[in-house]
Amino acid sequence: MVTGERQAARIRAVYLETILKQDIAFFDKEMTTGEAIQRMSGDTLFIQDAIGEKVGKFIQLMSTFVGGFIIAFVKGWLLTLVMLSCLPCIIIGGVALSWMITNLSSHGQVAYSEAANIVDQTIGCIRTVVSFTGEERSVELYKKCIKTAYRSSVQEGLASGLGHGILVLVVFFSYALATWYGAKLIIDKGYNGGVVINVMIVIMVSGMSLGETSPCISAFAAGRAAAYRMFETIKRKPEIDPNNSSGIILEDVKGKIELKDVYFSYPTRPKQLVFNGLSLCVPSGTSMAIVGESGSGKSTVISLIERFYDPQAGEVLIDGINLKTMRLRHIREKIGLVSQEPVLFTTTIKENIAYGKENATLEEIKRASELANAARFIDKFPNGLDTAVGEHGTQLSGGQKQRIAIARAILKDPKILLLDEATSALDTESERIVQEALSRVMSERTTIIVAHRLSTVRNADTITVLHEGKVVEQGSHSTLIKDCNGAYSQLIHLQEIRQEKVNSTENESRGPKIDATKSNSASFGRISLNRSFSRGSSLGGSSRHTFTLGFGLPGSVDVQDGNSMVEEDKERQAGHAKLHKNIPIRRLAYLNKPETPILIWGSIAASVYGVVFPVFGILISSSIKTFFEPAHELRKDARFWALMYMMLGLVSLLSVSFQYFLFGIAGGKLVERIRALSFQKVVHQEIGWFDEPSNSSGTIGARLSVDAAIVRGLIGDNLALMVQNISSVIAGVLIAIITNWRLALIILAVIPLVGLQGYLQMKFLKGFSADAKAMYEEASQVASAAISSIRTVASFSAERRVMDTFKKKCEAPLRHAIHRGIVSGLGFGFSFMMLYFTYALCFYAAARFVKKDLATFNEVFRIFFVLTTATVAISQTSALGPDTSKARDSAASIFSIIDRKSNIDSSSGEGEILTKVMGDIEFRHVMFKYPSRPDVQIFKDLCLTISSGKTVALVGESGCGKSTAIALLERFYDPDSGIISFDGMDIKKLKVKWLRQQMGLVSQEPVLFNDTIRANIAYGKEGDVTEEEIVAAAEIANAHHFVSGLPQGYDTSVGERGIQLSGGQKQRVAIARAILKQPKILLLDEATSALDAESEHVVQEALDCAMVGRTTLIVAHRLSTIRGANTIAVLKNGSIVEKGRHETLIDRENGVYASLASLYMSSS
């Protein structure tokens, strides 16, 4: 047990280490987060089982087997030789059994990997899933996968049963042969009865030992199948290895970057060239801005400089040296990356910033957060820098996450800075301050900027315009703007057309007041180019970023720090322990109720098989008596007993085959039901439940796979063994008492000692497994976060840090396992000691009885054999202790999910449905705090009315709670007090699923599923969707053009979380999905922010058309989007401080909106 646990921990660590050093192409094509977690939590269990206590047991059984044959050869070589003829049959049966189980086990594991992917995708994107009422679709997909796994497990049960049955059949046939041939040797060769008995008993013990290796062989086979898949990955040598210590190290990196005649296509789309002979040069210490339409390859430049990929031809040079010849870790340490969709890890703010630099001091971290303008909002949190950010940073708003990511890059103090829309998620004021900070950081550093905003782009030393992977224009802002027909001017012009109205309105409404800002020659430059260039995804067509779920969540908010999380975890575990006590096994049995007839027939088969061994005791004791009979009787009786052995062998074959097969069905069905029920419950929980660290996608995935597998062991193999052993004990005791009750009673007095040992072992083990299980879940969470954020881990060379955290999380459960192993070992040893003590007492008492004529020789052997099989059964049952203890903890874990009632249950049929929907929305005196941060007030008396068919825009600084309003409307959360009404009715009284079907949500950070573009768009509508509907929605969202240009069109896979598409392309697919839904209410959370100028212009027109006749709530920074709204509501300090049309608010002296607009313009 101890070595198995240690090796499994080592394999987990080596596997994670290997995964983290793989090149990014491996994650694009071969591996998903869900699959990796399934292997680390599920597959390592099989490996641990194969290399743990089963190895010791196998060696013990095999040494008994070999030792037995040596003794048999010494005693009577001729009889032994004849009995050996059965050995090839046993070996062939064992090999065939192992091969079949390995194959079937592999099929089941593949199906479970697919199921793990579905869990990871669904939980990881839960807000998108619930907003499109896609819970049941996820559950159906999940059920489909586990159905396949169930079929494999039934076939595995049948194969095990037949294999085991044939082994037992061969053993009994060998006794038949031994009885018949032994009699022949006594008559013909002068053997005596004692020699024949010796050989038979030794061979019997050897044969039983060989039979008992069957569970070990099954475990080895399943372990081999699991290990094969893991070691295939462990052996894989990445083409780009960050751990490779060879390569050039530049003592002093100057930072000159050059791309020479680069040809590149992504591994997933090898026929589609992104760069077709691209050449770029960024001199040391200068800045270059790259602009162009969405999907033109801007972010791909950053991917190549970070060496996430290598070009197919051409060179990427730093300081004139080819990147391929340099030591990768060293050069990545000199590069700082800030992405458009920042990736944060599930830890504290301090730890997240510290990823920028190893062994960073608290002062350095604070300085970096001040430079990134993050210190102010961090200080507002009760726990400051120790505030936890939640899974993927969901507890922070988009702007807050972005500032932490910038602080992380600033802390790194890099020679080369790569900014991919680094300030896009910030409000105007923060953006201006952070931009100043970045400008300071950029000085004397080589900087590449991918951005829309003119304020960011115009100050760059060189601006490069990319189109279809080629440079079409290059020069400074002042040079490029002179060419009216140039690509750069055209991009600006496109946005200016849309902004002219804004300009004229501003000038008319504000008159002389605006002169101050007009002194800047590009007074509206900031607005005019605000999002005109593609806000390509964080690492473009390639990126594997983990973005906020659904949409950039809560505003200026707090989360518990490490300590309070630990406290909460202790409470949770205490609750778990309480629950554990109250989980009777009969509840599990109740889940198996539909399989009651199968379990009854299985139990009958197990009982019959259990009775076989005491009956075997009668046969062997009777055949021993036969060997001392006269020759004529010996010949006749030997034939009779040989036939009886053969009959017993056939009964064993049938009973054991049925036992394994029927319990395989019942166990498989239980796993299928548990997984389906648990997952169904999980997806219908309220969003607040997923905010808890213990309910991350990695943890839930691990719980579903591990708990179900452990419980299946209890209901399948262990229950069958228990029934079999009980019938063995009952039959054995009855036969013994009938044979000679006095002797039987004396021997029975010893048997409770064996039972007591089993009970004590169970007691010791009970407390250990629950804690270890929870701790391994924490380790899974660390791995899940790292794998899903692999680009961030790679760019910050944080592989070692992740591994250290992972190993730390594995230390405690490993200690628990060692403790458990020692207790189990002592218990098992004590069990065997009691067994031999029982034998000793048996023979001592029997000798006395025979001496006093109270028992015959035949009775002694009969009682000895039948009670021996009974004591073996009891010690076997005591060995189930570890499994039963684990299964109880897993049952507690499962029922804690199944029994939890969701506070906002979308599966509930309760609630009203409005026959006629108008679309009036009203927030009345709404107070709200996030459940995970009850001490931070988000809304204080929020009042807002949105009339049917009207458009209301919410504005305010980053983190003021704009997206929270959308979360409350979608009923992701319920307000603490106040009412949100829909057509005059409190939304709490409406049916949750129906309410969400009336709303179409487009988020700032769009979530796509690992499927085709067609499937992602079709997700917007329940039921069958026609090709025409999909194409029409894509055309409205201006996505049809780029989709048609892809080699596989709508059948193109978007990759995990949409990584194969650029930010703009993802956003258009998300808009098409929302348009297909035909909602009554549109919720647009920065819906066009990731689009280039041309696409944004067309999509905005499409959204304007879609908004007609619909109630619309817009969250946006840009004046171009919000100025046309019927009402603009300004959020500040948790309530609406200003409300009115753009023209009215802009003219209000000292107004909040007017100052926001003024800031917006003056900063440009």
Side-chain angles (χ1 to χ4, degrees), residues 748-763:
L748 277 172
V750 189
I751 285 182
L753 288 173
V754 181
L756 174 71
Q757 166 275 327
Y759 173 76
L760 288 173
Q761 189 186 9
M762 291 266 291
K763 264 302 204 206

Side-chain angles (χ1 to χ4, degrees), residues 244-473:
N244 191 343
S245 55
S246 64
I248 299 165
I249 294 178
L250 295 179
E251 290 303 321
D252 182 24
V253 176
K254 302 285 185 213
K256 182 188 176 187
I257 299 170
E258 204 174 343
L259 276 72
K260 262 191 187 170
D261 200 25
V262 167
Y263 289 80
F264 177 72
S265 60
Y266 283 105
T268 47
R269 297 200 289 270
K271 291 179 184 171
Q272 191 185 0
L273 271 181
V274 179
F275 293 144
N276 192 359
L278 176 77
S279 294
L280 275 181
C281 182
V282 189
S284 167
T286 65
S287 59
M288 176 184 281
I290 302 175
V291 299
E293 63 186 20
S294 183
S296 60
K298 304 183 296 297
S299 297
T300 307
V301 173
I302 287 177
S303 291
L304 292 177
I305 293 167
E306 277 276 11
R307 212 182 157 207
F308 291 156
Y309 304 93
D310 280 336
Q312 276 85 22
E315 294 179 309
V316 180
L317 310 170
I318 290 182
D319 289 354
I321 296 169
N322 192 330
L323 207 50
K324 288 182 185 178
T325 63
M326 299 168 90
R327 189 182 293 182
L328 188 56
R329 183 180 291 279
H330 165 74
I331 200 64
R332 277 185 182 163
E333 281 166 1
K334 305 295 179 190
I335 299 173
L337 170 68
V338 184
S339 306
Q340 175 186 359
E341 292 168 1
V343 172
L344 300 187
F345 297 97
T346 315
T347 179
T348 60
I349 291 174
K350 182 167 81 182
E351 286 294 313
N352 267 292
I353 296 174
Y355 264 87
K357 183 182 176 183
E358 275 193 58
N359 309 318
T361 63
L362 187 62
E363 283 67 36
E364 287 174 320
I365 291 168
K366 281 182 175 173
R367 177 79 187 125
S369 67
E370 281 166 10
L371 277 172
N373 191 28
R376 199 177 60 167
F377 81 79
I378 292 170
D379 291 342
K380 281 184 187 171
F381 294 147
N383 300 314
L385 282 165
D386 292 319
T387 302
V389 302
E391 190 178 11
H392 306 326
T394 51
Q395 307 293 358
L396 306 178
S397 75
Q400 290 168 337
K401 284 199 297 176
Q402 194 64 285
R403 280 176 274 180
I404 288 168
I406 291 167
R408 179 169 64 191
I410 288 171
L411 182 67
K412 196 176 189 183
D413 193 22
K415 294 287 184 187
I416 296 168
L417 198 57
L418 308 174
L419 305 175
D420 191 358
E421 281 290 356
T423 58
S424 59
L426 303 181
D427 61 86
T428 315
E429 194 175 355
S430 302
E431 201 250 348
R432 182 173 56 79
I433 298 166
V434 172
Q435 196 58 57
E436 283 173 11
L438 284 175
S439 299
R440 286 198 296 274
V441 175
M442 281 157 58
S443 62
E444 295 177 18
R445 284 183 174 84
T446 310
T447 310
I448 291 184
I449 306 159
V450 169
H452 292 134
R453 299 186 172 177
L454 185 59
S455 56
T456 314
V457 172
R458 60 174 298 159
N459 297 326
D461 299 308
T462 312
I463 295 170
T464 300
V465 184
L466 283 184
H467 179 67
E468 293 181 356
K470 287 187 174 175
V471 175
V472 290
E473 256 190 351

Side-chain angles (χ1 to χ4, degrees), residues 469-533:
K470 287 187 174 175
V471 175
V472 290
E473 256 190 351
Q474 210 171 34
S476 65
H477 169 74
S478 52
T479 314
L480 295 178
I481 205 79
K482 287 173 187 168
D483 183 359
C484 299
N485 298 317
Y488 182 70
S489 298
Q490 289 297 314
L491 283 168
I492 292 175
H493 182 62
L494 262 168
Q495 197 77 36
E496 279 179 340
I497 294 168
R498 302 199 62 237
Q499 294 296 346
E500 278 171 7
K501 290 177 188 170
V502 182
N503 288 2
S504 58
T505 310
E506 298 294 326
N507 292 336
E508 285 165 23
S509 60
R510 299 203 61 177
K513 290 179 196 164
I514 204 156
D515 287 348
T517 52
K518 275 185 161 182
S519 62
N520 182 329
S521 61
S523 67
F524 284 91
R526 161 59 147 297
I527 302 164
S528 65
L529 195 66
N530 191 4
R531 307 267 169 161
S532 66
F533 306 131

